Amino acid sequence: MQQDKIILAIVDDHPMVIEGLKSLLKPETAIYTTVSFTNGREFISFLSQNEVDLVFLDISLPDANGIELCKEIKKISPKTIVLGLSNQTERSIMLQMLQSGASGYLLKNVSPDELLTCIQEALQGLITFSREAKEIMGRPSKAGLNEVASITKREKQILELLAQGKTTATIATELFLSPLTVDTHRKNLLQKFDVKNTAELLMAAVQQKLL
Amino acid sequence: MQQDKIILAIVDDHPMVIEGLKSLLKPETAIYTTVSFTNGREFISFLSQNEVDLVFLDISLPDANGIELCKEIKKISPKTIVLGLSNQTERSIMLQMLQSGASGYLLKNVSPDELLTCIQEALQGLITFSREAKEIMGRPSKAGLNEVASITKREKQILELLAQGKTTATIATELFLSPLTVDTHRKNLLQKFDVKNTAELLMAAVQQKLL
DNA sequence: TTTTTTATACCTATAGTTAGGTATTTTTAA
DNA sequence: TTAAAAATACCTAACTATAGGTATAAAAAA
């Protein structure tokens, strides 16, 4: 990295976001080189053969889940700094990004000055957030307190079927289980989310993007 | 408009989307003048004293609901063409925009070529969509068939309390109603959304952005 | 290999919801 | 002013969910 430019990557499926970011970074082209990708697969392929100092990673990509992609990036290239860049404002989503190895999170309403400040902080090894993301992270909430309820594979399955309005009997038939087994899974879900009924459970799950 | 440039406005709370759109339109500066705003209020103020041929209107703005803003824009300046520009992919949202006077809808993953084509079509008085938006609009679905279920004020109230996991008895107490009245409203909601239970109802309502 | 977690299944009792209507009053729209 | 819509309330019957547990087997993690 002596005297070389810093390599910034942008991974976002919106051409206008990519153009916008590049435009905002244009005054800094003496310092940064930007490369852009509209899907995760292309970026992973590039990263396998090139060094990237920092990547702006959208959460929702057509071919990948940003959180899983983040893990993959850190596996392939542990030194690459990952900053989440999204419109997603749920604290639980942001936390999942951080848990997956991201060094920060920016909302897409970040101002040009903030953007540059966040890049600098990240390159200095600091965790960094855009202002509004900081506010969200600093805000305790019920959903926050129950953030990212950890549910098992079977529980997820049950949850998805409940979201389709299916009853215990129907779910039991579809999954080849006893209705009593389904009831136990449901009870466990209510306990994990600390809610009293299926209505509340589903709304919490939507809130946490589990559905 | 003889020999004058066409005035395009961009209303979006993301600086990088504004920069991106401007950048994509840069090759066409001989034809278009772009002005941009990060909130609805500023744009409405501008529109009251200036003529705008076409506006790209985000759905979610900090100070306004894009659908309501669309109505206001068409009231102040009926000749101004409104194109929705959002990440919202629900058909019901798109329809609400059209019902509010918009002449089309673009998703933010629109390509540069498509963007220019959509502008031209809109200026010619045609309804226009970006390709993915066209696909969504053309796709019949259960939710689509039940699009924007029209519910009354009281039903909305009941729906919101159901989404908080409240039971008929609790809702009756809070709204000073008979539990039997609440049950009737619930039954009516199930019929309007054509669903069988509250779980399904809530998921449909979330889908249609009623919650 | 052992421990922990997940999955499965069961029990009694109680609470809550949905289905199928009908009927009257109040509010809103025409 | 009249008609239509919304809101309110009621009825019987059946269905579904939740609460409070206990217990064993299988799978996964340590």
Side-chain angles (χ1 to χ4, degrees):
Chain A
M1 185 136 80
Q2 315 100 309
Q3 298 304 36
D4 287 341
K5 286 183 186 177
I6 291 165
I7 308 292
L8 303 184
I10 304 167
V11 187
D12 198 295
D13 65 326
H14 297 132
M16 72 179 69
V17 167
I18 292 176
E19 289 304 318
L21 258 175
K22 283 182 167 178
S23 183
L24 291 174
L25 290 169
K26 187 157 285 184
E28 311 298 322
T29 50
I31 308 172
Y32 306 121
T33 295
T34 59
V35 291
S36 60
F37 306 85
T38 53
N39 69 63
R41 201 43 49 197
E42 282 177 16
F43 178 62
I44 290 295
S45 185
F46 178 87
L47 190 63
S48 304
Q49 307 181 11
N50 297 274
E51 191 168 305
V52 172
D53 296 298
L54 186 150
V55 55
F56 289 103
L57 185 66
D58 197 358
I59 300 294
S60 328
L61 293 164
D63 67 339
N65 169 295
I67 291 164
E68 295 304 316
L69 197 57
C70 184
K71 291 174 186 172
E72 201 173 340
I73 292 166
K74 296 301 285 186
K75 186 176 295 181
I76 293 171
S77 179
K79 285 181 180 173
T80 298
I81 295 166
V82 180
L83 295 185
L85 177 68
S86 184
N87 288 325
Q88 295 282 1
T89 56
E90 285 78 22
R91 193 169 183 275
S92 60
I93 299 288
M94 297 175 183
L95 281 169
Q96 287 180 67
M97 277 301 284
L98 299 181
Q99 282 163 359
S100 301
S103 303
Y105 196 98
L106 282 64
L107 292 172
K108 284 183 174 176
N109 60 6
V110 64
S111 71
D113 289 339
E114 270 194 292
L115 177 68
L116 296 176
T117 302
C118 288
I119 293 171
Q120 286 159 12
E121 289 184 337
L123 290 168
Q124 288 164 13
L126 305 175
I127 197 165
T128 187
F129 301 96
S130 63
R131 191 173 48 75
E132 188 176 341
K134 278 178 188 162
E135 290 173 6
I136 291 165
M137 287 298 292
R139 187 185 301 153
S141 65
K142 175 82 182 302
L145 292 174
N146 290 336
E147 74 217 1
V148 200
S150 175
I151 64 176
T152 69
K153 194 169 174 180
R154 202 52 139 173
E155 285 167 348
K156 178 99 158 96
Q157 235 182 336
I158 303 286
L159 189 62
E160 285 170 354
L161 293 172
L162 287 174
Q164 293 170 31
K166 295 185 176 175
T167 64
T168 285
T170 304
I171 293 171
T173 299
E174 290 192 15
L175 298 183
F176 304 98
L177 298 174
S178 162
L180 298 170
T181 300
V182 177
D183 277 345
T184 301
H185 285 304
R186 292 183 71 155
K187 186 168 23 178
N188 291 339
L189 281 165
L190 295 182
Q191 279 174 347
K192 283 191 174 182
F193 282 79
D194 191 22
V195 294
K196 287 187 178 330
N197 57 35
T198 298
E200 213 177 346
L201 170 65
L202 292 178
M203 297 310 290
V206 164
Q207 176 73 32
Q208 293 186 25
K209 303 287 188 188
L210 293 171
L211 288 168
Chain B
M1 187 141 74
Q2 318 94 312
Q3 299 303 39
D4 286 342
K5 286 182 184 177
I6 291 164
I7 309 292
L8 302 184
I10 304 167
V11 187
D12 198 294
D13 65 325
H14 298 131
M16 74 180 67
V17 168
I18 292 175
E19 289 303 317
L21 259 175
K22 284 182 169 178
S23 183
L24 291 174
L25 291 169
K26 188 158 284 182
E28 313 296 323
T29 51
I31 308 172
Y32 305 121
T33 296
T34 61
V35 292
S36 60
F37 307 85
T38 54
N39 68 63
R41 204 41 51 196
E42 284 178 15
F43 178 62
I44 290 295
S45 185
F46 178 87
L47 190 61
S48 303
Q49 307 181 11
N50 297 272
E51 190 168 307
V52 171
D53 296 298
L54 185 150
V55 54
F56 289 102
L57 185 65
D58 196 357
I59 300 294
S60 327
L61 293 166
D63 66 340
N65 168 294
I67 292 164
E68 294 306 314
L69 197 57
C70 184
K71 292 174 182 172
E72 201 172 341
I73 291 166
K74 297 302 283 185
K75 185 177 291 180
I76 294 171
S77 178
K79 283 180 181 170
T80 299
I81 292 166
V82 180
L83 294 185
L85 177 69
S86 184
N87 289 322
Q88 295 284 0
T89 56
E90 285 79 24
R91 192 166 183 276
S92 59
I93 299 287
M94 297 177 183
L95 281 170
Q96 288 181 64
M97 279 299 285
L98 299 181
Q99 283 164 357
S100 302
S103 302
Y105 198 98
L106 282 67
L107 293 174
K108 282 183 174 175
N109 61 3
V110 63
S111 71
D113 290 338
E114 270 194 292
L115 177 69
L116 296 176
T117 301
C118 287
I119 294 172
Q120 287 159 11
E121 290 183 338
L123 290 169
Q124 288 164 12
L126 305 174
I127 196 164
T128 187
F129 301 96
S130 63
R131 188 171 50 75
E132 190 179 338
K134 277 179 190 159
E135 291 172 7
I136 291 166
M137 287 298 290
R139 187 185 300 151
S141 64
K142 174 80 179 302
L145 291 173
N146 293 336
E147 72 217 5
V148 200
S150 175
I151 64 176
T152 70
K153 194 171 177 180
R154 203 52 141 171
E155 285 168 347
K156 177 93 157 96
Q157 239 183 331
I158 303 285
L159 190 61
E160 285 169 353
L161 293 172
L162 287 172
Q164 293 169 32
K166 294 184 178 180
T167 64
T168 285
T170 304
I171 295 171
T173 299
E174 291 192 15
L175 299 184
F176 304 99
L177 297 173
S178 162
L180 297 168
T181 300
V182 176
D183 278 344
T184 301
H185 285 304
R186 292 182 73 155
K187 187 168 25 181
N188 291 340
L189 281 165
L190 295 182
Q191 279 174 347
K192 282 190 172 181
F193 283 78
D194 190 23
V195 294
K196 287 187 177 334
N197 56 38
T198 298
E200 214 177 343
L201 170 66
L202 292 177
M203 297 309 291
V206 164
Q207 178 72 32
Q208 295 186 24
K209 302 287 188 189
L210 293 171
L211 288 171

